[in-house]
Amino acid sequence: MDNIAGTRARLTWAVNLTAICLVVLWTIPTFGLLVSSFRNADQIASSGWWDALFATQSVDYKRAEGADAQVREGDTYVIAGDLLQDGKLSSWGISSRAPAAYQPGEVVDVDEGQQLTVQEDGSYRITSSNRFEGRRGMRIFLTTSVPPDFTLENYDRVVTAEGLGRAFLNTMTVTIPATVIPILVAAFAAYALAWMQFPGRAILVACVVGLLVVPLQVSLIPLLKLHNAIGLGKGYMGIWLAHTAFGLPLAIYLLRNYMVGLPKEVIESARVDGATEFQIFRRIILPLSFPALASFAIFQFLWVWNDLLVATVFLGNSQDQLVMTGVLRELLGSRGGDWEILAASAFISISVPLIVFFAMQKYLVRGLLAGSVKGG
Amino acid sequence: MKKLLTLSCAVCALSGSVALSQDLVFEPGDDDRFDWDSYNALKSDEFAGQSIRVFGPWLGQDRVLVESVIDYFEAATGITVDYSGSDSFEQQVVIDAEAGSPPDIGVFPQPGLAAELARKGQLKPLAEGTEHWIVDNYAAGESWAQYGNYLGPDGETHQYGFPFKADVKSLVWYVPENFEDAGYEVPETMEDLKTLTEQIAEDGETPWCIGLGSGGATGWPATDWVEDMMLRNNSPEDYDAWVKNELPFDDPKVIAAIEDYGWFSRQDDFVSGGAQAIASIDFRDSPKGLFDFPPQCYLHKQASFIPSFFPDGVEIGTDVDFFYLPAYADKDLGQPVLGAGTIFAQLTDNPVNAAFFEFLESPIAHEVWMAQRGFLTPYTKANADVYGDPTLKKMGDILTSATTFRFDGSDLMPGSIGAGAFWTGMVDYASGKSARDVAQQIQQQWNTLK
C-alpha cells in the first residue's frame, strides 16, 4: 500500500513531462512558420528555418564587368571592379565545378594570356595581353559567410496587397452575422428540445445528431440551386443562410446538451410561479448557458473566418466580393508554392481570431465541457 | 476593433485609388508592330453598356495580365467584363453550372473537364465557322481545333472551345556556362541527349533534377515525361488512340514509353537525390539544383512556366537557357511538341459572348499579352516580333514550327485517370514498381469507367 502514493506522485510527474513535451512538439511547427515568415523565398528554398538563426556559408557567383569596361594599361588590357558591397570572401573560383578552388589574393591563369586575381574584400582584376571581347562578363564564384538575415518584406507584401482592406470588411460582413444568427436560432431550438414537452422530440434530436455527419460539400450544389431558384442568388444573404445552416446541427446539439444539464428545480419552480416559456428561456436559461454560447461562438467565428470554400461558392470570386482567405490565396499566384507569403499571411490572418479567442477564453475553458457531462 | 476598422478603411481607400487607373498598357496606334487595324475593326456600339462574366483559373500576376488584355475589348466595345479567378476553378465551375448560375464564359485549363460539361449540355456551341477559323489560322490548327471539339448532349460533335494561350512542355532547361565549364554541347537528337546523360554521370556529376511532388497532384510532372516519350517513340495517331484508350494503357508501346522515361529517372546516377527521392521533391523546388555551385544537376525538363520558380535575379538567356527536348534521329517521327493551353468556352446564350470570341480571334488580343509575359500563341497572324523577350520568341518558334503538336494527354483523359490513376501510377513507378504493373493498374482503373 505504501508505494501506491509513491506511484501516483511519479505518475503525475510523468504526466506533466508528457504534457510539456506535447506542447513543445505542437509549438515547434508554428515557431518554424514564424521564423520562415521573416525569410525570403530563396532563403526558404536553400536552407531550413533552423539554420536561419546562424551564419551560413553561401556559394554564389557574381559577374565581372564585360569588355565595355576594359582599360588599356600599357600593353595589357585590364578589367577591374568590386564583387562585394561589404563583407569578406573566404575562397573563390572560376568554374562551377570547383567554385572554391582558390584563396583570396591568388593569381590564376584563366585563358591564354589572361590572368585573374580576387582579393578578400571582393575587388578583382583581370589582365590580358589581348583585347577583351564579348558583352557578357565572366562568372566569378565566391564563398562568403552570410549572417542571419531577416526581412519584413513578406508582411509588407501581404499587408499592402491590393484589395486586402476591402476583403477584411467583406470577411467581417460575412463572419459577424454568420456567427450571431446560428446562435440565436440554436438557442431557441436547444431550449425547446431540452425543456419543452411535445411529441417527436426525441426523433428531432436524433435528426439533428444525424445531420452532424453530413459533409457540407455534398450540399453545395443543391443549396446554391435553391438560392438561385428563390431569387437569392449569390450574395451576403445567401452566405449568412448557408453558414447558419451548416453551423446549426453542432450548435443545437451542443447547446441542448448543456441546457439539459441545468438543474430541473430552477425551471420547475419558475413554471410554478407562472413564468411563460419565453420568460424562462430569457431570464433563466440564457444567462445560465452563457459558457456554452460563448464556446460555440468561438467555434463558429473561427470556422467562418477561415472559410474559403463556402465563401467562393455562395459569394463569388470577383474582386469586390473576395474574403480575406481569397485575397491571401491570390497572393500565392496561379501555381501556389510561395511559402514565404503563406507563412506571413498565416500570422496576419490569425490575429483577429486570436483577439476573439483571448477575449472569450475564460468562457471557452468552461464551455469545452459543455454537453459532455450530464448535470456537470 | 475600432482601430482595426480605421486601418482597414485606410487600406481600402489606398487600393481603391490603384484600381481607378485603368489605362491600356500599350497606347493604340503607337507601336506599329501591333495590328491596330484589328483593334479598330472591333469598335462597335452594338452591345455597349452590357456586361459579361468571365471565370478562369488565373490569379495574382496572371490575373493582372489577362485583365490588361480584356481592357482592349472593353475599350473597343463598351462592354464590361467582370473577370474572376480561382485556384479551384475546376470544382467551382461545375458547382456554378450545376446550380444554374454559370459564368458567361469559362476558361478551362483542361479540355477533359470542358468535354464533360459539353456532354451534360452545360456548354453552348460556338458560332459556325469557328472550327475552320482555328484550322486555318493556328499552327497545327487541326490539333488545336480538336481540343475544343466535343460531343454535345445531342450526340453530335460541335466546336465548344476556343484555345487561347499555349504552354510548351517539351523543354529542357540548363545553365549554358555550366555546360561551357564542363565542355558539354546542347544535344540535337535524343540519342545525343542520352549520350550526354551518360557522359555527365561518368564525370561523377548528376545529370538530371526531377521532382514529382505537387501536393494532391503529386506525380503530374512524370506524366509529361511519359507523354513526351510517347510522341518520340510512337506515331501521333498512336498517341491519339492512347489518350482515348483505344490503345490500351498496358500496350507494349505505352510500356516502352514509360520505360524510356525510366531510363532517365530510375537510375540513381542520373537523378539528383537518387531515383527513389524524386516523388518527395516538390516540382517547384526541383529546378533549384541547376543554380547550386557545384551544380546538383545539369538538366531539368519542365514546361515554359517554370522560370517563375527560378531564384531571384536569374536572367533567362544568360544565366539559364533551354533547348527543345529532341526527337530520336532514327525514328523519323518529325519534331513533335507537347503542350498545353487554356480553352475558352461559353456557358450561357448571352449574345454578348460572340463579341468576346470575335475579340479573341483578332491578332491584337494575342499581341497585347505576347508583348508582356508568359504568353505563347500558335496564332500565325499574331506578329512574333512583339514578344516581350527573346525567350518567349524562341518558345513561340518551337510552337509554330512544330510538325506535330499534341495536347497534354493527361488533361484529355477522363479525370479519374489523367488527374488520378496516372499520377499515382507514376509515383508507384518512381518507388520501384515495374512499368508493366503500373500500366496494368492504370488500365484496370480505366476499365471500371467503361
Side-chain angles (χ1 to χ4, degrees):
Chain A
M1 286 305 257
D2 285 349
N3 40 13
I4 286 181
T7 322
R8 264 192 203 147
R10 231 180 295 154
L11 213 66
T12 326
W13 187 74
V15 166
N16 286 346
L17 198 72
T18 319
I20 291 172
C21 283
L22 283 176
V23 168
V24 171
L25 268 179
W26 273 97
T27 335
I28 286 178
T30 316
F31 180 70
L33 201 64
L34 183 67
V35 174
S36 293
S37 70
F38 291 105
R39 310 179 75 205
N40 66 35
D42 290 346
Q43 286 172 322
I44 289 177
S46 60
S47 64
W49 59 266
W50 49 89
D51 286 333
L53 309 171
F54 312 102
T56 45
Q57 289 283 311
S58 122
V59 182
D60 202 358
Y61 68 81
K62 292 272 172 13
R63 267 179 206 288
E65 290 198 67
D68 295 345
Q70 62 186 308
V71 189
R72 191 165 179 176
E73 290 179 9
D75 276 350
T76 55
Y77 294 87
V78 177
I79 299 178
D82 193 358
L83 298 168
L84 288 179
Q85 301 307 321
D86 45 25
K88 285 176 178 177
L89 59 99
S90 56
S91 56
W92 60 279
I94 49 172
S95 160
S96 58
R97 294 209 154 170
Y102 312 114
Q103 294 305 311
E106 228 173 300
V107 180
V108 174
D109 289 323
V110 183
D111 212 351
E112 263 177 69
Q114 279 190 21
Q115 286 178 321
L116 165 66
T117 178
V118 181
Q119 303 300 332
E120 197 178 37
D121 63 355
S123 60
Y124 68 95
R125 189 179 158 87
I126 315 173
T127 56
S128 171
S129 48
N130 302 315
R131 243 186 110 74
F132 289 100
E133 270 160 29
R135 194 173 50 86
R136 195 179 69 183
M138 68 183 296
R139 295 192 297 181
I140 301 174
F141 294 87
L142 306 172
T143 308
T144 48
S145 171
V146 182
D149 182 24
F150 295 102
T151 169
L152 284 172
E153 189 191 331
N154 303 330
Y155 286 94
D156 187 51
R157 260 186 72 191
V158 174
V159 173
T160 57
E162 193 189 332
L164 193 77
R166 174 74 203 240
F168 184 83
L169 289 184
N170 287 352
T171 302
M172 280 297 183
T173 318
V174 171
T175 311
I176 293 171
T179 310
V180 174
I181 301 173
I183 290 181
L184 275 181
V185 179
F188 284 116
Y191 173 71
L193 291 173
W195 289 108
M196 287 168 76
Q197 298 294 334
F198 58 92
R201 196 175 68 160
I203 295 176
L204 263 180
V205 174
C207 284
V208 169
V209 174
L211 280 175
L212 277 176
V213 298
V214 177
L216 74 91
Q217 287 86 346
V218 300
S219 52
L220 291 179
I221 293 178
L223 202 55
L224 187 58
K225 220 177 214 167
L226 177 78
H227 284 184
N228 286 331
I230 60 175
L232 212 53
K234 291 185 168 201
Y236 287 113
M237 199 61 194
I239 193 170
W240 293 337
L241 287 182
H243 273 304
T244 304
F246 294 134
L248 269 183
L250 179 71
I252 296 176
Y253 177 69
L254 204 76
L255 294 181
R256 181 215 163 252
N257 281 11
Y258 187 85
M259 288 179 188
V260 156
L262 295 174
K264 197 163 73 180
E265 294 75 13
V266 184
I267 292 146
E268 276 173 358
S269 46
R271 280 217 178 100
V272 170
D273 288 346
T276 61
E277 294 288 355
F278 185 71
Q279 278 170 331
I280 296 173
F281 173 73
R282 210 177 68 84
R283 296 272 171 82
I284 300 173
I285 301 288
L286 220 47
L288 283 177
S289 307
F290 202 70
L293 294 175
S295 65
F296 175 74
I298 292 177
F299 280 140
Q300 180 74 3
F301 185 89
L302 291 183
W303 152 243
V304 178
W305 183 268
N306 289 328
D307 165 75
L308 176 66
L309 178 69
V310 178
T312 43
V313 171
F314 290 98
L315 203 55
N317 272 309
S318 65
Q319 285 305 301
D320 51 352
Q321 295 168 323
L322 275 183
V323 288
M324 279 228 337
T325 40
V327 171
L328 298 180
R329 173 199 58 181
E330 182 152 321
L331 281 179
L332 299 182
S334 302
R335 286 193 175 79
D338 287 355
W339 255 95
E340 69 285 3
I341 294 299
L342 203 64
S345 49
F347 282 94
I348 286 179
S349 100
I350 226 171
S351 52
V352 172
L354 271 187
I355 294 169
V356 172
F357 183 83
F358 283 119
M360 299 179 99
Q361 188 213 21
K362 56 181 176 185
Y363 304 109
L364 180 72
V365 179
R366 266 197 285 167
L368 267 182
L369 292 171
S372 60
V373 187
K374 205 179 165 184
Chain B
M1 205 50 117
K2 208 169 180 182
K3 209 170 178 183
L4 267 172
L5 273 175
T6 327
L7 183 78
S8 65
C9 285
V11 177
C12 200
L14 254 172
S15 57
S17 63
V18 175
L20 274 177
S21 52
Q22 255 196 2
D23 297 326
L24 301 177
V25 270
F26 307 104
E27 189 58 34
D30 252 11
D31 189 335
D32 32 278
R33 290 175 307 161
F34 292 94
D35 190 344
W36 294 118
D37 290 345
S38 73
Y39 170 71
N40 293 329
L42 286 167
K43 285 187 176 158
S44 140
D45 289 332
E46 195 185 347
F47 297 111
Q50 304 207 39
S51 70
I52 52 170
R53 289 196 300 136
V54 177
F55 183 38
W58 293 309
L59 286 174
Q61 287 296 318
D62 293 338
R63 178 176 62 76
V64 175
L65 288 170
V66 71
E67 282 178 345
S68 76
V69 176
I70 291 175
D71 285 346
Y72 286 83
F73 174 68
E74 294 184 321
T77 61
I79 299 167
T80 312
V81 178
D82 179 15
Y83 172 81
S84 57
S86 166
D87 63 346
S88 51
F89 169 83
E90 286 93 336
Q91 289 80 29
Q92 257 177 325
V93 74
V94 174
I95 293 174
D96 279 340
E98 290 275 348
S101 52
D104 292 306
I105 291 171
V107 187
F108 292 83
Q110 296 188 332
L113 177 67
E116 216 168 295
L117 288 184
R119 196 174 43 78
K120 290 187 193 155
Q122 277 154 354
L123 296 190
K124 311 288 179 239
L126 297 177
E128 295 276 322
T130 308
E131 184 176 357
H132 281 280
W133 187 91
I134 299 170
V135 172
D136 293 346
N137 290 286
Y138 275 14
E142 306 237 336
S143 309
W144 279 109
Q146 197 196 319
Y147 301 124
N149 211 314
Y150 318 121
L151 205 62
D154 55 357
E156 282 176 44
T157 56
H158 303 279
Q159 192 69 31
Y160 285 101
F162 184 87
F164 181 81
K165 186 177 192 293
D167 272 318
V168 182
K169 298 215 164 197
S170 307
L171 301 179
V172 180
W173 298 85
Y174 72 110
V175 178
E177 285 163 301
N178 288 357
F179 266 44
E180 283 167 26
D181 285 347
Y184 301 141
E185 299 276 332
V186 171
E188 299 280 327
T189 65
M190 184 56 86
E191 288 88 346
D192 287 350
L193 182 63
K194 286 189 166 179
T195 320
L196 174 66
T197 302
E198 281 166 346
Q199 190 195 341
I200 297 176
E202 270 168 35
D203 291 351
E205 305 277 331
T206 315
W208 292 91
C209 273
I210 304 178
L212 307 188
S214 177
T218 295
W220 73 259
T223 66
D224 286 357
W225 268 95
V226 171
E227 288 151 11
D228 257 322
M229 288 309 173
M230 201 57 204
L231 286 171
R232 279 157 186 74
N233 283 292
N234 304 297
S235 67
E237 291 73 30
D238 280 340
Y239 183 89
D240 295 338
W242 172 59
V243 166
K244 296 190 188 111
N245 205 224
E246 284 155 13
L247 182 80
F249 217 107
D250 49 358
D251 190 274
K253 286 178 178 172
V254 183
I255 293 174
I258 298 177
E259 278 170 346
D260 212 14
Y261 151 65
W263 189 90
F264 292 99
S265 74
R266 292 245 295 206
Q267 308 198 43
D268 280 333
D269 294 352
F270 289 0
V271 192
S272 171
Q276 299 269 341
I278 60 172
S280 56
I281 298 174
D282 195 283
F283 82 95
R284 291 166 281 234
D285 293 336
S286 58
K288 295 191 170 112
L290 292 172
F291 307 101
D292 274 339
F293 306 105
Q296 280 179 27
C297 59
Y298 285 82
L299 301 158
H300 179 70
K301 178 192 170 309
Q302 190 50 276
S304 44
F305 68 80
I306 197 68
S308 44
F309 298 105
F310 289 164
D312 270 349
V314 165
E315 201 181 311
I316 304 168
T318 313
D319 298 321
V320 64
D321 211 343
F322 60 88
F323 56 85
Y324 163 73
L325 179 72
Y328 284 103
D330 63 355
K331 288 204 170 147
D332 197 29
L333 289 165
Q335 302 275 309
V337 171
L338 182 73
T342 44
I343 311 267
F344 281 64
Q346 52 178 345
L347 291 97
T348 63
D349 289 322
N350 192 341
V352 184
N353 293 351
F356 191 76
F357 282 101
E358 205 177 297
F359 169 66
L360 294 183
E361 287 180 8
S362 68
I364 194 68
H366 298 251
E367 285 167 354
V368 168
W369 201 339
M370 284 159 81
Q372 301 182 66
R373 272 177 297 114
F375 184 84
L376 297 174
T377 180
Y379 190 11
T380 46
K381 286 214 184 87
N383 185 0
D385 291 337
V386 304
Y387 271 122
D389 61 82
T391 322
L392 276 178
K393 188 165 162 42
K394 205 170 131 192
M395 288 179 193
D397 284 347
I398 292 179
L399 199 63
T400 41
S401 64
T403 55
T404 314
F405 178 85
R406 282 297 177 271
F407 213 88
D408 186 337
S410 56
D411 285 350
L412 296 167
M413 294 173 186
S416 63
I417 304 297
F422 199 178
W423 291 349
T424 50
M426 283 301 108
V427 175
D428 290 344
Y429 184 64
S431 59
K433 224 171 176 179
S434 79
R436 179 175 303 278
D437 287 352
V438 168
Q440 277 170 354
Q441 171 193 322
I442 299 170
Q443 182 58 38
Q444 272 165 16
Q445 174 83 22
W446 211 324
N447 290 339
T448 62
L449 297 180
K450 288 176 181 169

